[in-house]
Amino acid sequence: MIAELGHFALITAFAVAIVQMIVPMIGAWKGWSGWMAVASPAASAQVALVGVAFAALTYAFVTSDFSLRLVVLNSHTDKPMLYKVTGVWGNHEGSLLLWVLILALFGATAAWFGGQLPATLKARVLAVQASIGVAFYAFILFTSNPFIRMPVPPFNGEDLNPLLQDPGLAFHPPFLYLGYVGLSMSFSFAVAALIEGRVDAAWGRWVRPWTLAAWLFLTVGIALGSWWAYYELGWGGFWFWDPVENASFMPWLIAAALLHSAIVVEKREALKAWTILLAILAFGFSLVGTFIVRSGVLTSVHAFANDPERGVFILAILGFFTGGALLLYAVRAPVMQAKGVFGVVSRESALVANNLLLVVSAFVVFTGTVWPLVAELAFGRTLSVGPPFFNMAFTPFVIVLAAILPVGSILPWKRGRGRVLRVLWPVAVLALAVMGLVWAMQTGRSLGGPLGAGLGVWLFAGAVVDLATRTGRGRWSDRLGRVTRLPGADWGKALAHGGLGITVFGVAALIAWQQEGIAVLDIGDRLTVGKYEVVLNDVTQLRGPNYVATRADLTAWENGRLLGDLFPEKRIYPVAQMPTTEAGIDSSLTRDVYAVIGDAQTGGGWAIRVYIKPFANWIWGGAIIMALGGLLSLTDRRYRVAAGARKAPATGGVPAE
């Protein structure tokens, strides 16, 4: 009965979304205030109805209701409660339901807190947002219904994919969806602005918080996925340029460009057409990611579905919304004339360069991701594009972007002056000194480590200097007092740029200075990797809630100093008949000792692999700081009240006849 209630609520939400898509749009066109007013209550009703549907599906998973086909395929009575709950979105159908719940939630949030928006713009934004919902409701109800009953319910289920039974990946998809779907709001604002034919500073201020929230959630989601891959898959890497990894990374890059471009619209009323285009592309790449994950055209450990027919449906959604928005853009873009004029050396120019680098790097990733598919379809050749291509093609853009970021942050608007050189030259000297020191200390000849260290210092110190320059002049005591009163956006920008510097350094250090050792060890044997030593004390068998595991007991030493015990595991999930690897990690601020147990050897002993990973945690620490920067920027009062926003001349409209 509860499942039927959830199904009915989902169908009703579909109907409400259709009304929200049509009525407010006609009201805005005709100037009918009553019809425009339908948008807000419809958005609220829609999120409530989808919430009921999602709650019903969650109840089915928690209670192990094996009369539902989806629960049978993705749950088991012995599964821990956390993974019964996360199993709701650990599959194709449930994750789509989470998608539309978040989509409806964003629309409702715009309705609840959009009091500063002109009535016509608000109505059109909510109508466009509802149109996206209509497409995905149809997709769920006609191809991916999560409430299908089993003719004969079994006594137990087939269990959730063991790779998803992990805290890191349990919360990774919701954060990614908050980012993917959050970009739909930027898209809705862009399409609504194209329909109205007006983009101004107020529009730039309205669209920024939605983009910032989406970018923040994407940052957390990508970091969680990277962290999970690092400790769960057992290969010791943090990024493999997997198609699904790239699917989340591309909209992150475009969203970062959109954030910086919207600043120019808000401050100088320039780059209007470009910013609208970025808003369309950002959501377009989110839909591309959805297609990659669910169509089966590209193979990935992260993929939810392998169904080309459903992939065609998603491709149609992608074509309709992205293609339709681009067509509207081609028609309306000429009327969006820029008002601001700026010099070659200015903050506007630096932001343009920033945008170009981010967008081109996103298209480099896109090309490498889809080229194997294009080669197979067009030329009948099977190709593999792996990390060497991406590292070689993508890294130069990151280097140039990192080099100009501190300069662009401090450059004044409209026309730059020599003050920037006076402010940043100590930072440049420090970065070069660190680069030279690292080059002298490292034993190898790799340039990656010194370059990454120098760029990391340049970004982090540049963010500190940028923050200091905003306190004005005078005594340091006075300036320290003023720094606490800076707007949240200034603090957020400094944290985000500084966090990027920390991540850049962590990535470069891990790649350049990682050490590795592998050996077959009997009980009591030792494996030496650099100045570290690992001793195999014991290997035992243990049973978990829904798995059996082979567990190694290792002791790690550094130059004769005891570090602690490591307990890597190799698990087998009997129901799913699938193995997983759990790494044993001893972490510190400057390195991880990372151990993995392999199979028992025919001649006796166990295969043990040990990595020494310098500054690994700096990668995710920097990502957390970037996300905190985004969160701090969202607290800026100017975002909440849209200060300086101008309403349209006729916001109220006329009553419908």
Side-chain angles (χ1 to χ4, degrees), residues 82-83 86 164-172 224 227-228 231:
L82 171 64
Y83 304 125
T86 60
L164 303 180
Q165 297 186 41
D166 179 88
L169 206 67
F171 300 104
H172 159 69
L224 280 173
W227 180 53
W228 166 81
Y231 70 78

Side-chain angles (χ1 to χ4, degrees), residues 189-213:
F189 269 94
V191 172
L194 286 173
I195 294 172
E196 291 206 350
R198 186 170 70 92
V199 178
D200 55 16
W203 180 89
R205 180 155 298 178
W206 287 324
V207 80
R208 277 181 66 193
W210 299 106
T211 307
L212 183 59

Side-chain angles (χ1 to χ4, degrees), residues 230-232 234 534 551-552 554 556 565-570 581-587 592-597 609-611:
Y230 174 72
Y231 70 78
E232 174 69 20
V534 173
R551 185 184 195 188
L554 302 168
D565 294 324
L566 309 177
F567 300 100
E569 296 180 7
K570 191 176 184 65
T581 300
E582 303 289 326
I585 305 175
D586 180 81
S587 294
D592 280 357
V593 180
Y594 182 108
V596 178
I597 181 173
R609 185 185 297 268
V610 174
Y611 300 92

Side-chain angles (χ1 to χ4, degrees), residues 351-583:
L351 289 171
V352 169
N354 160 288
N355 270 227
L356 291 175
L357 290 166
L358 287 168
V359 171
V360 173
S361 63
F363 275 95
V364 166
V365 176
F366 176 74
T367 301
T369 302
V370 302
W371 183 248
L373 177 62
V374 173
E376 185 175 354
L377 292 176
F379 310 114
R381 298 178 58 188
T382 302
L383 297 177
S384 176
V385 178
F389 164 80
F390 289 105
N391 292 337
M392 182 177 296
F394 182 79
T395 303
F397 294 103
V398 176
I399 293 172
V400 178
L401 180 65
I404 68 172
L405 205 57
V407 177
S409 296
I410 296 177
L411 275 171
W413 295 102
K414 196 172 182 179
R415 184 173 290 106
R417 295 181 295 273
R419 173 174 170 268
V420 176
L421 296 178
R422 295 195 301 272
V423 170
L424 282 178
W425 75 261
V427 178
V429 171
L430 176 62
L432 290 173
V434 169
M435 192 182 302
L437 178 64
V438 172
W439 175 264
M441 292 175 62
Q442 71 175 17
T443 55
R445 291 285 185 177
S446 171
L447 184 61
L451 186 59
L455 286 175
V457 169
W458 170 249
L459 284 167
F460 187 86
V464 173
V465 169
D466 179 26
L467 203 61
T469 59
R470 299 182 185 278
T471 62
R473 299 183 179 181
R475 294 180 302 177
W476 279 106
S477 58
D478 296 333
R479 297 179 68 180
L480 287 174
R482 287 193 293 268
V483 79
T484 61
R485 297 190 295 273
L486 288 174
D490 289 345
W491 275 100
K493 182 180 75 169
L495 281 176
H497 290 178
L500 178 62
I502 292 172
T503 296
V504 166
F505 171 71
V507 169
L510 192 149
I511 292 175
W513 304 323
Q514 173 180 281
Q515 296 175 285
E516 177 185 353
I518 183 171
V520 176
L521 303 182
D522 286 314
I523 304 302
D525 287 350
R526 298 170 178 264
L527 172 60
T528 301
V529 183
K531 62 181 180 179
Y532 297 89
E533 197 171 50
V534 173
V535 180
L536 178 61
N537 303 315
D538 197 9
V539 177
T540 56
Q541 305 294 317
L542 57 88
R543 180 173 293 275
N546 59 338
Y547 63 85
V548 293
T550 300
R551 185 184 195 188
D553 181 352
L554 302 168
T555 301
W557 304 77
E558 180 185 6
N559 286 334
R561 179 174 64 88
L562 177 65
L563 296 178
D565 294 324
L566 309 177
F567 300 100
E569 296 180 7
K570 191 176 184 65
R571 295 178 178 176
I572 298 291
Y573 289 77
V575 176
Q577 288 295 304
M578 182 175 178
T580 66
T581 300
E582 303 289 326

